[in-house]
Amino acid sequence: MEAKHERVIIIGSGPAGLTAAIYTARASLAPLVIEGEPSSTSDQPGGQLMLTTEVENFPGFPEGIMGPELMSNFRGQAERFGAKFLTEKVTKVDFSARPFKVWVRDDEYHADAVIVSTGARSLMLGLEEEQRLIGHGLSTCATCDGFFFRDHHIAVVGGGDSAIEEASFLTKFASKVTLIHRRDEFRASKIMQERAFANPKIEVLWNHTVTKINGDDKVDGIEVTNTVDGSVSTLPVTGVFIAIGHRPNTDLFAGVLDMDDSGYLQTQPDSSYTNIDGVFACGDVQDHTYRQAITAAGSGCMAAIDTERWLEAQH
């Protein structure tokens, strides 16, 4: 089967990829968005916002909007301007020469330029109830969802800087925050630890892991297990924030694109250029600092403009 040739292929369809699709489509580049598979939590169409209920911090929606509806609007806007969509997962890439090669199983696609927007995923505890309760009292982003937990007792799971940062932020809303860590000391920096210990709303539960999250349609408590003696107890929390880290979806680009020690794609300063001319990256796949829908969308715009200008320079 002959390879299909595209001016621009966008890999991933979260806020970054779909914003890039809107901009490249409006530039008459007719991008092909390979948006991922519905069955894959790490590479699903629409990205992490598909797992979010209400989004209140995206500009332009004073009453808030549901995450899946927001991503559907993004997608419809891109389609309106001529973006094409393939609901599949990219299985292999070859960026060693132009045109770039992208495979979806046995189907080969060629592209003059590629935008990588495969995002990142929050590391989870591996409990079966997580998928059911994410967005219903279970969250991985305090700045996204903290507002919904005013006067609640919340648990934060983790022991690094991000966990303490989340816990500290949540004390603006919560009546109490229990910080649960599986060891008897944090791995967070000293200044972050001091901040947690000095906050009267934060209580630390050492040497415990969360082994069950209770609730049918929303969180109404958690079961914790002592890592020293194995005893089990219940905490009556109504919110759980998991802060044990993030992992960028970059396995596909190992040995192909430059990454930092954590696996995030590296882009040139103030741009979306990767180490390969004509391949651009945007969104959470290259941003481990902000991880917000609005910053991802902004970097998707940058990648589209960089791509358009680069293609103009090539021809």
Side-chain angles (χ1 to χ4, degrees), residues 32-248:
L32 173 65
V33 183
I34 306 179
E35 61 179 349
E37 292 178 324
S39 60
S40 171
T41 54
S42 65
D43 190 24
Q44 66 169 352
Q48 291 188 87
L49 277 190
M50 297 300 288
L51 304 175
T52 305
T53 49
E54 195 160 9
V55 179
E56 288 198 331
N57 57 4
F58 199 90
F61 299 94
E63 302 302 319
I65 184 170
M66 301 300 279
E69 183 186 357
L70 179 60
M71 298 323 298
S72 176
N73 289 349
F74 271 51
R75 193 182 193 278
Q77 194 171 354
E79 282 184 310
R80 177 189 160 205
F81 294 117
K84 300 164 292 186
F85 287 83
L86 180 62
T87 310
E88 296 279 359
K89 187 175 181 177
V90 172
T91 51
K92 188 172 71 167
V93 298
D94 181 357
F95 296 159
S96 60
R98 295 202 293 267
F100 302 118
K101 298 179 180 67
V102 174
W103 282 268
V104 174
R105 290 191 286 270
D106 294 330
D107 293 338
E108 184 178 338
Y109 296 82
H110 290 177
D112 297 325
V114 172
I115 297 174
V116 176
S117 55
T118 48
R121 61 188 179 276
S122 301
L123 298 177
M124 304 296 278
L125 301 173
L127 305 176
E128 61 176 328
E129 53 271 24
E130 285 175 323
Q131 198 151 3
R132 184 179 77 251
L133 292 171
I134 190 84
H136 299 278
L138 176 65
S139 176
T140 58
C141 178
T143 51
C144 309
D145 300 326
F147 179 82
F148 299 116
F149 294 88
R150 193 172 293 279
D151 300 323
H152 287 231
H153 178 192
I154 302 172
V156 175
V157 184
D161 279 356
S162 61
I164 292 180
E165 194 174 333
E166 300 265 284
S168 300
F169 178 82
L170 288 166
T171 59
K172 296 178 181 179
F173 311 102
S175 58
K176 178 182 178 182
V177 176
T178 299
L179 192 51
I180 302 169
H181 188 42
R182 59 185 174 176
R183 300 192 180 93
D184 59 1
E185 61 180 3
F186 290 128
R187 64 180 185 278
S189 58
K190 194 168 187 295
I191 190 167
M192 292 299 288
Q193 294 190 44
E194 289 170 354
R195 195 173 298 171
F197 297 143
N199 193 318
K201 282 191 175 183
I202 295 178
E203 181 179 281
V204 182
L205 184 62
W206 301 108
N207 296 315
H208 278 78
T209 58
V210 176
T211 44
K212 187 180 180 187
I213 304 171
N214 299 328
D216 293 326
D217 52 5
K218 64 179 181 179
V219 172
D220 62 14
I222 57 173
E223 187 182 276
V224 292
T225 300
N226 189 306
T227 58
V228 178
D229 62 21
S231 60
V232 177
S233 54
T234 301
L235 279 182
V237 298
T238 48
V240 181
F241 285 76
I242 299 174
I244 57 175
H246 292 79
R247 186 167 183 267

